[in-house]
């Protein structure tokens, strides 16, 4: 039940998004292990601590059924319940993605890596309980796996062995298949070896030949070697398709292009940005507006005349994108570079940064952004266009403090 609640709470907000992306949904199969895996490990440690302790009358040290049979009888139903709860928590997200996704399909290998992460947490948690012989070890198992998943948030270094990535993949990015395969092999090895070691430990609670412990050490060396290999070689996190499918349209001389997976957002994007370009009038500063999902393969090669927009199902186009487009037309890029210490602007101020902010607010055509102190607020469109054209160089270099304002 706890695993189900953890996963549902982690994905609940995304269920109401206007559209879905399979890259995000597939990744949630491993991203949600951040808390679910520690919970599974803790619960497995409780089960092992309570059911395998030699102090229990049904688990004597010399019992004929100790070892692999009892491990199998414990882990199979435990795994079915916990993995089943994990999948049940992800089912609503998968359902809405099937309905609302506009491009691609599920990445089964990526999904499998998450399920193997849960399986590994269950078997290792069970092994911890077997070694401790007490259910009170559960908090240690939880903290151990929580620390393990936190490693994933530190960067790419542990991505090959930890199922939690520090960023969610976006449309136009594909998780590196080689890395995902390695992660699956590693987690599968951890799952199998932890179960076998638990069986060895239970089988050798009475005096047995040392050969059993030699076998245990040899088994443990397998995932350790894989972990060292995975951490020492940091592969690319994502594979970036060179020519993703797109959908384009033109409005007032501006070319708008979005990834096929964002096709439903094209009209909204044009509606949101067109007022700024219309207010500016003919210009050569921005000729194209492209979705960032089209540009992952070579972001440094984007021409200066291309304005890049960030589209994601969790953010609305009408929020920040019109402001960013108006800001580019108002010379905000130059202002940010020229005055890096300046944070925000004061409407009506004489600093060039303040005047650029006021000009961006006028271009944005957002009444909420046009303060009464904005010197451009009551200037008609034709006068503003003429003034902007006359002082285009001052705008481009963030030097509007040197020119006379329109009236």
């Amino acid at each position: 039940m706890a695993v189900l609640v953890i996963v549902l709470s982690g994905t609940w907000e995304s269920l109401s998004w206007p559209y879905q992306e399979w890259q995000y949904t597939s990744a949630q199969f491993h991203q949600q292990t951040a808390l679910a895996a520690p919970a599974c490990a803790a619960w497995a440690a409780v089960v092992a601590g309570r059911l395998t302790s030699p102090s229990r009358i049904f688990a004597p040290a010399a019992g004929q059924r100790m070892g692999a049979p009892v491990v199998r009888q414990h882990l199979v139903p435990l795994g079915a319940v916990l993995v089943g709860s994990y999948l049940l928590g992800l089912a609503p997200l998968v359902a809405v993605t099937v309905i609302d996704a506009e491009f691609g399909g599920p990445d089964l290998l990526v999904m499998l890596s998450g399920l193997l992460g849960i399986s590994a947490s269950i078997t290792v948690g069970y092994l911890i309980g077997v070694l401790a012989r007490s259910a009170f070890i559960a908090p240690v198992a939880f903290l151990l796996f929580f620390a393990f998943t936190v490693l994933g948030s530190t960067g790419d270094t542990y991505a090959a062995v930890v199922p939690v990535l520090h960023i969610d993949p976006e449309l136009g990015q594909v998780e590196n298949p080689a890395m995902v395969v390695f992660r699956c092999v590693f987690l599968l090895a951890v799952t199998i070896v932890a179960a076998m070691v638990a069986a060895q430990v239970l089988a050798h609670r009475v005096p047995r030949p040392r050969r059993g412990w030699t076998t245990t050490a040899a088994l443990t060396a397998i995932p350790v070697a894989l972990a060292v290999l995975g951490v020492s070689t940091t592969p690319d996190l994502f594979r970036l398709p060179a020519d993703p499918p797109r959908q384009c349209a033109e409005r007032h001389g501006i070319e708008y292009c979005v990834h096929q997976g964002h096709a439903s957002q094209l009209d909204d994007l044009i509606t949101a940005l067109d007022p700024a370009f219309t207010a500016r009038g003919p210009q050569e500063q921005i000729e194209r507006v492209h979705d960032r999902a089209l540009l992952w393969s070579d972001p440094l090669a984007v021409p200066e005349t291309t304005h890049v927009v960030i589209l994601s199902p969790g953010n609305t186009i009408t929020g920040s994108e019109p402001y960013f487009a108006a800001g580019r037309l108002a010379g905000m890029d130059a202002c940010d570079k020229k005055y890096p210490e300046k944070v925000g602007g004061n409407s009506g101020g004489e600093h060039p940064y303040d005047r650029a902010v006021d000009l961006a607010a006028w271009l944005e055509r957002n009444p909420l952004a046009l303060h009464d102190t904005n010197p451009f607020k009551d200037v008609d469109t034709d006068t503003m266009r003429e003034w902007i054209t006359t002082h285009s160089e001052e705008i481009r270099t963030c030097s509007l403090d040197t020119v006379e304002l329109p009236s």
Side-chain angles (χ1 to χ4, degrees):
M1 183 65 180
V3 173
L4 174 63
V5 172
I6 288 171
V7 179
L8 277 177
S9 63
T11 58
W12 189 259
E13 182 181 357
S14 59
L15 299 181
S16 60
W17 288 349
Y19 62 97
Q20 300 291 334
E21 296 174 356
W22 274 114
Q23 280 83 353
Y24 176 84
T25 297
S26 299
Q28 293 314 296
F29 274 73
H30 59 70
Q31 294 295 81
Q32 292 302 318
T33 61
L35 286 178
C40 289
W43 184 243
V46 169
V47 170
R50 288 184 62 83
L51 299 184
T52 65
S53 173
S55 63
R56 302 289 177 178
I57 192 173
F58 48 78
Q64 294 298 312
R65 298 179 67 250
M66 293 305 289
V70 73
V71 169
R72 184 167 53 252
Q73 288 187 7
H74 289 167
L75 286 181
V76 169
L78 181 63
V81 170
L82 294 178
V83 173
S85 297
Y86 191 72
L87 286 172
L88 190 60
L90 288 165
L93 179 60
V94 173
V96 296
T97 306
V98 169
I99 297 170
D100 296 332
E102 303 172 18
F103 176 79
D107 192 328
L108 299 181
L109 194 60
V110 169
M111 293 175 167
L112 177 62
S113 72
L115 299 183
L116 287 174
I118 292 295
S119 299
S121 69
I122 294 170
T123 53
V124 174
Y126 182 86
L127 174 60
I128 292 172
V130 167
L131 293 173
R133 304 185 180 189
S134 170
F136 291 109
I137 197 65
V140 175
F142 181 93
L143 292 175
L144 178 65
F145 264 86
F146 184 74
F148 182 64
T149 58
V150 166
L151 286 177
S153 65
T154 61
D156 297 357
T157 304
Y158 301 97
V161 294
V162 178
V164 180
L165 303 183
H166 65 100
I167 52 173
D168 289 321
E170 299 181 31
L171 188 65
Q173 298 176 321
V174 179
E175 290 193 44
N176 188 342
M179 182 191 67
V180 176
V181 168
F182 185 91
R183 188 194 305 150
C184 287
V185 171
F186 170 72
L187 293 173
L188 180 62
V190 170
T191 301
I192 294 173
V193 169
M196 294 179 69
V197 171
Q200 287 283 329
V201 171
L202 291 176
H204 291 81
R205 280 184 171 170
V206 295
R208 300 278 179 92
R210 293 191 177 185
R211 181 178 53 192
W213 298 111
T214 303
T215 303
T216 299
L219 289 172
T220 305
I222 297 174
V224 170
L226 288 173
V228 171
L229 178 62
V231 172
S232 61
T233 58
T234 305
D236 292 333
L237 206 57
F238 302 116
R239 180 172 56 83
L240 308 172
D243 189 22
R246 64 187 63 200
Q247 186 163 330
C248 299
E250 185 175 333
R251 178 77 61 87
H252 296 148
I254 305 294
E255 178 192 63
Y256 296 83
C257 288
V258 298
H259 192 287
Q260 188 64 45
H262 292 152
S264 65
Q265 304 302 298
L266 181 58
D267 290 342
D268 290 342
L269 177 64
I270 295 174
T271 301
L273 301 192
D274 185 61
F277 294 118
T278 302
R280 171 62 180 86
Q283 49 85 32
E284 298 179 354
Q285 191 174 352
I286 296 177
E287 299 175 354
R288 291 170 295 275
V289 175
H290 282 191
D291 181 0
R292 184 175 66 172
L294 298 172
L295 308 171
W296 287 116
S297 61
D298 195 3
L300 298 179
V302 178
E304 293 221 0
T305 54
T306 297
H307 177 64
V308 180
V309 295
I310 301 174
L311 304 179
S312 67
N315 296 318
T316 60
I317 294 174
T318 56
S320 57
E321 288 305 333
Y323 172 77
F324 290 142
R328 281 203 63 185
L329 294 174
M332 289 300 301
D333 289 348
C335 289
D336 288 334
K337 293 177 182 178
K338 194 172 182 179
Y339 304 103
E341 75 285 353
K342 187 81 170 167
V343 179
N346 299 315
S347 181
E350 296 184 359
H351 192 282
Y353 193 103
D354 298 332
R355 290 191 174 177
V357 169
D358 283 334
L359 177 58
W362 183 88
L363 289 168
E364 188 183 354
R365 317 303 283 175
N366 181 359
L368 297 178
L370 274 174
H371 300 289
D372 292 336
T373 54
N374 191 320
F376 308 114
K377 181 178 181 182
D378 298 321
V379 183
D380 64 89
T381 301
D382 291 337
T383 301
M384 280 297 299
R385 284 179 179 172
E386 182 179 355
W387 182 84
I388 291 172
T389 301
T390 302
H391 301 291
S392 59
E393 182 62 20
E394 287 82 2
I395 292 172
R396 187 184 68 82
T397 58
C398 192
S399 305
L400 284 178
D401 57 329
T402 64
V403 302
E404 183 179 349
L405 298 178
S407 57

